[in-house]
Amino acid sequence: MNELTLAITTIGDLLLNNKITRENSGKSIDNVRLTIPNYQRPYKWTARNVIQLLDDLVEACNAEKEVYRVGTLILHNENDTYNIVDGQQRIITFSLLLYALYELENLENRKTINFLEQKLPNNDYNRHNISKNLNTFRRRICKKLEGY
């Protein structure tokens, strides 16, 4: 019988610490290995989506929001691998944002984003949008840093 587990996590815990912060019993779920199953659509978020997300995050930060909910993520646990059923576009985008931020760190301070090490299907959308969106984050982050 399949069991449904409700949980809450942070982007940092999920992508940097490979864990789900807290399930409904209060315990964390460790050693979470996220994957994108073959049946998922390609990565279609464009620079416009990335800029909107970044603007929303900056607005929430400026409003001093302690918590910013980015939506629901649905995972299917299959042999200790967590397939992303819903939320793939956001997870890839947040991974790219973290990667762009970590590029500003000294090498010894950088964390690995294991999720980014997996192979994605080789298609035009994935090749174009991942590269373009990472570069969009790089430009926007440098632009913000120049303003300080």
Side-chain angles (χ1 to χ4, degrees):
M1 176 154 80
N2 290 333
E3 189 176 303
L4 179 66
T5 302
L6 301 177
I8 294 174
T9 194
T10 65
I11 295 295
D13 272 351
L14 188 62
L15 295 175
L16 300 175
N17 300 323
N18 303 309
K19 74 177 192 175
I20 295 173
T21 309
R22 187 178 72 248
E23 60 152 315
N24 49 356
S25 72
K27 297 178 188 173
S28 67
I29 302 171
D30 298 323
N31 302 315
V32 172
R33 194 176 84 198
L34 290 176
T35 61
I36 298 173
N38 290 332
Y39 59 78
Q40 281 290 8
R41 67 185 175 119
Y43 179 63
K44 292 191 174 184
W45 271 29
T46 64
R48 179 187 298 191
N49 301 110
V50 165
I51 290 167
Q52 182 64 56
L53 176 67
L54 199 52
D55 288 347
D56 289 348
L57 291 171
V58 168
E59 183 180 316
C61 187
N62 288 341
E64 298 181 11
K65 289 187 178 180
E66 289 186 35
V67 176
Y68 181 76
R69 186 176 182 278
V70 296
T72 301
L73 178 64
I74 298 175
L75 306 174
H76 177 251
N77 185 358
E78 187 174 28
N79 301 323
D80 294 326
T81 297
Y82 288 81
N83 293 318
I84 300 173
V85 176
D86 185 44
Q88 164 208 351
Q89 306 291 309
R90 282 172 283 139
I91 291 296
I92 291 173
T93 304
F94 273 106
S95 297
L96 296 174
L97 173 59
L98 287 172
Y99 187 86
L101 290 168
Y102 272 127
E103 287 181 325
L104 301 173
E105 293 283 332
N106 294 327
L107 283 175
E108 61 271 5
N109 294 335
R110 292 183 189 177
K111 287 190 175 184
T112 302
I113 304 168
N114 293 329
F115 175 71
L116 289 177
E117 294 177 0
Q118 69 182 287
K119 298 255 188 237
L120 292 177
N122 186 14
N123 63 56
D124 290 339
Y125 287 110
N126 287 345
R127 275 193 311 277
H128 176 76
N129 291 334
I130 288 173
S131 173
K132 187 170 184 165
N133 290 348
L134 177 59
N135 286 327
T136 298
F137 277 133
R138 287 172 173 152
R139 282 190 307 277
R140 294 289 291 226
I141 290 167
C142 287
K143 186 177 177 181
K144 291 286 184 193
L145 291 175
E146 289 170 2
Y148 289 109

